[in-house]
């Protein structure tokens, strides 16, 4: 049985842990945190760690801000500890608070992740940081990423990113629906910066992009702690960069392997036509209207989980014959899906609690809120049928691509040409993958 003692400072009763059973006195965690906060914010200690008055004033104001918002004392102690370390770096690297920016906070040395969000909110409240548009933030992140690349490798990246920014600006000027986003460019900069840092630390003899060989690229890709598909995406990003450098004569060859990678996850196995027919017969029985509606929309019309969750009652048109789905043409429902929709609408909760939720699909929790159902709920709904919404959608798209070609996926389902081509090649890829596995065994 655990003992209890009274805190020496606040007289609060504290339950003793197993390794504290022999103690005669104790101080509760809150009082320990208060004592640590007093030590951190002591004027003499703080002036020694942060000599710059402007930086010290920001940290003191941040500590008071945490008190004003009602943060727990243990949380304040943890956040102020990180803030003091950040303030010391801030005072050393910056000349004043006018130089504090979102970019500097994102690239500040050291691990200050736990404090960044609340400290940034405090700086916004004090008007030290100013709100900026998403485009400005992305452009600043791109510029900061280029600055982190070693100087000997920076020229090629600078030219490549300038070209990509020109493409983005031109596509925005022409108001294209699928313009190259600044977020994609910022991600490309991060990947190139990571590869350049790898070359700097592991292959010091590589002092320009022209000296990179396939061995360095393959070693870098294998060292990445990501899945095969993510590794393939990064490989194609490097391939695009070196293809650009080859056109600009910055390199003499493209060292990135160009053989096709895996087109889709190995655990996605599309259903055969007979298996699809068996599922449709089960859903036509009307035993579970909601599962029938979700399954038909995923298997027969290729809706994603996010599409299913985002459907609203207002998206049902013409007495249940059409659905408005954002990001793709209107969905014309077949007879089976119409029956499932009408059966579900007849059983959909109509209590006053559900009157405020505009979404089509509800469960016992979401009917009392205005939020959609979770993706986990949809997966659990399809579990008795041995499938997931993603697997049903993959079966739909693979079947359509094999029977009608990838163009229908672009025009009727809203996929890009690249995605449509992947689904067309999916079955051939699965066959080649199975043959390769058999050959190894």
């Amino acid at each position: 049985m655990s003992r209890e003692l009274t805190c020496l400072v606040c007289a609060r009763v504290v339950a003793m842990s197993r390794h504290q059973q022999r103690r005669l006195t104790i101080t509760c965690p809150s009082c320990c945190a208060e004592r640590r906060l007093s030590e951190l914010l002591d004027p003499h200690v703080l002036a020694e760690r942060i000599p710059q008055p402007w930086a010290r004033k920001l940290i003191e104001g941040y500590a008071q801000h945490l008190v004003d918002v009602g943060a727990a004392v243990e949380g304040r102690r943890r956040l102020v500890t990180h803030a003091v370390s950040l303030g010391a770096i801030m005072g050393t690297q910056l000349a004043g608070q006018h130089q504090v920016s979102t970019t500097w906070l994102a690239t500040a040395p050291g691990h200050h992740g736990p404090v960044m969000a609340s400290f940034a909110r405090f700086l916004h409240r004090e008007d030290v940081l100013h709100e900026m548009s998403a485009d400005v933030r992305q452009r600043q992140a791109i510029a900061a990423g280029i600055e982190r690349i070693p100087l000997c490798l920076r020229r090629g990246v600078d030219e490549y990113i300038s070209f990509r920014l020109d493409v983005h600006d031109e596509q925005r000027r022409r108001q294209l629906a699928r313009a190259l986003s600044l977020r994609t460019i910022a991600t490309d900069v991060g990947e190139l910066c990571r590869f350049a840092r790898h070359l700097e630390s592991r292959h010091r003899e590589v002092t320009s992009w022209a000296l990179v060989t396939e061995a360095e690229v393959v070693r870098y890709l294998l060292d990445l702690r990501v899945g095969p598909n993510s590794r393939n995406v990064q490989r194609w990003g490097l391939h695009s960069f070196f293809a650009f450098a080859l056109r600009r004569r910055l390199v003499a060859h493209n060292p990135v392997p160009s053989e096709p990678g895996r087109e889709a996850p190995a655990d996605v196995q599309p259903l055969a036509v007979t298996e699809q027919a068996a599922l449709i017969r089960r859903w036509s029985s009307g035993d579970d209207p909601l599962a029938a509606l979700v399954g038909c929309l995923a298997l027969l019309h290729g809706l994603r989980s996010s599409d299913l969750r985002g459907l609203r009652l207002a998206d049902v048109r013409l007495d249940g014959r059409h659905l408005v789905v954002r990001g793709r043409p209107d969905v014309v429902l077949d007879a089976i899906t119409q029956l499932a929709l009408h059966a579900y609408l007849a059983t959909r909760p109509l209590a006053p609690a559900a009157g405020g939720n505009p979404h089509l699909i509800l469960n016992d929790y979401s009917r009392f809120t205005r939020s959609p159902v979770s993706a986990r709920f949809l997966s659990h709904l399809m579990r008795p049928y041995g499938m997931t919404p993603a697997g049903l959608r993959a079966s739909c798209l693979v079947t359509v691509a094999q029977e009608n070609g990838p163009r229908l996926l672009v025009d009727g389902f809203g996929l890009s040409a690249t995605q449509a081509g992947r689904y067309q090649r999916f079955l051939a890829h699965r066959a080649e993958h199975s043959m390769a596995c058999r050959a190894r065994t």
Side-chain angles (χ1 to χ4, degrees):
M1 184 174 179
S2 63
R3 295 173 55 216
E4 293 182 348
L5 285 179
T6 303
C7 174
L8 293 176
V9 180
C10 64
R12 183 183 303 169
V13 176
V14 181
M16 309 285 287
S17 63
R18 185 174 61 182
H19 67 275
Q20 294 175 332
Q21 294 297 316
R22 296 186 178 182
R23 297 188 61 173
L24 301 179
T25 60
I26 195 170
T27 304
C28 69
S30 297
C31 293
C32 291
E34 286 282 5
R35 183 175 60 193
R36 178 58 181 160
L37 274 173
S38 302
E39 295 173 355
L40 286 171
L41 298 175
D42 181 81
H44 299 289
V45 175
L46 199 60
E48 183 178 352
R49 296 194 61 180
I50 309 177
Q52 297 78 12
W54 65 270
R56 190 164 62 248
K57 183 178 178 181
L58 284 180
I59 301 304
E60 293 172 346
Y62 174 66
Q64 183 59 43
H65 165 72
L66 294 177
V67 176
D68 296 339
V69 299
V73 62
E74 291 88 349
R76 285 193 285 124
R77 190 269 309 162
R78 185 178 66 255
L79 293 175
V80 169
T81 301
H82 285 285
V84 170
S85 300
L86 182 63
I89 300 173
M90 187 188 307
T92 304
Q93 295 187 355
L94 304 180
Q97 70 177 28
H98 62 279
Q99 292 187 350
V100 180
S101 64
T102 306
T103 304
W104 185 87
L105 290 176
T107 59
H111 177 65
H112 308 290
V115 76
M116 281 301 183
S118 62
F119 190 62
R121 287 193 295 269
F122 163 72
L123 294 179
H124 281 300
R125 194 192 72 169
E126 297 296 319
D127 205 24
V128 177
L129 287 180
H130 304 282
E131 293 290 344
M132 59 182 66
S133 65
D135 285 356
V136 174
R137 288 198 299 270
Q138 294 292 352
R139 290 183 181 273
Q140 288 185 352
I142 291 170
I146 294 176
E147 289 295 326
R148 291 197 298 269
I149 294 176
L151 192 59
C152 59
L153 302 173
R154 192 175 301 173
R155 178 193 166 196
V157 178
D158 199 2
E159 291 188 17
Y160 177 64
I161 298 303
S162 298
F163 167 75
R164 301 270 281 174
L165 289 174
D166 292 340
V167 172
H168 164 79
D169 295 338
E170 177 63 19
Q171 291 179 346
R172 290 284 295 271
R173 186 187 66 80
R174 295 169 59 187
Q175 298 183 350
L176 297 184
R178 295 177 179 271
L180 177 64
S181 68
L182 291 174
R183 183 177 180 180
T184 301
I185 300 175
T187 303
D188 293 342
V189 172
E191 293 174 357
L192 291 173
C193 179
R194 193 179 302 115
F195 181 51
R197 295 279 186 173
H198 171 81
L199 293 177
E200 185 184 34
S201 60
R202 302 285 185 86
H203 308 279
R204 296 183 180 276
E205 68 279 3
V206 178
T207 57
S208 72
W209 295 116
L211 299 178
V212 178
T213 64
E214 184 175 344
E216 286 90 19
V217 175
V218 171
R219 185 71 266 166
Y220 165 73
L221 293 174
L222 292 177
D223 287 343
L224 293 175
R225 296 184 178 180
V226 296
N229 278 1
S230 298
R231 184 178 292 110
N232 195 34
V233 170
Q234 297 214 22
R235 179 179 65 83
W236 274 113
L238 293 176
H239 189 277
S240 300
F241 166 70
F242 278 102
F244 170 84
L246 185 61
R247 291 195 301 270
R248 293 295 180 91
R249 298 184 180 182
L250 299 176
V251 298
H253 73 295
N254 190 336
V256 183
S258 58
E259 61 269 13
R262 217 167 64 185
E263 298 292 345
D267 57 350
V268 175
Q269 178 65 51
L271 295 173
V273 176
T274 55
E275 295 173 322
Q276 297 182 30
L279 283 177
I280 293 174
R281 283 195 298 269
R282 290 182 63 182
W283 291 329
S284 301
S285 63
D287 296 336
D288 191 345
L290 178 55
L293 176 62
V294 171
C296 288
L297 289 176
L299 180 61
L300 301 180
H301 302 281
L303 267 67
R304 304 180 181 90
S305 293
S306 58
D307 297 332
L308 294 168
R309 297 172 59 229
L311 285 176
R312 297 171 179 261
L313 279 174
D315 296 332
V316 182
R317 305 288 172 83
L318 299 177
D319 298 330
R321 298 179 182 177
H322 289 75
L323 278 181
V324 178
V325 181
R326 291 158 184 81
R328 60 177 288 180
D330 289 357
V331 177
V332 181
L333 301 181
D334 59 283
I336 298 175
T337 309
Q338 288 184 40
L339 290 175
L341 176 60
H342 289 302
Y344 170 67
L345 290 177
T347 60
R348 183 178 182 271
L350 296 177
N357 194 325
H359 295 89
L360 174 64
I361 299 176
L362 299 179
N363 59 13
D364 292 339
Y365 172 76
S366 65
R367 59 178 293 193
F368 295 100
T369 67
R370 294 185 60 84
S371 60
V373 297
S374 64
R376 183 178 181 181
F377 169 76
L378 296 179
S379 298
H380 181 75
L381 191 67
M382 292 292 102
R383 188 176 299 170
Y385 304 94
M387 291 297 294
T388 63
L392 294 173
R393 178 175 183 268
S395 300
C396 170
L397 300 181
V398 168
T399 304
V400 171
Q402 292 296 316
E403 294 181 355
N404 303 284
R407 188 65 198 177
L408 182 58
L409 295 181
V410 177
D411 297 335
F413 292 82
L415 271 67
S416 66
T418 302
Q419 290 174 316
R422 288 175 178 172
Y423 281 105
Q424 186 187 29
R425 298 190 299 269
F426 184 75
L427 291 182
H429 160 72
R430 292 291 303 180
E432 293 176 0
H433 182 71
S434 300
M435 293 176 63
C437 292
R438 291 178 183 177
R440 285 196 295 268
T441 57

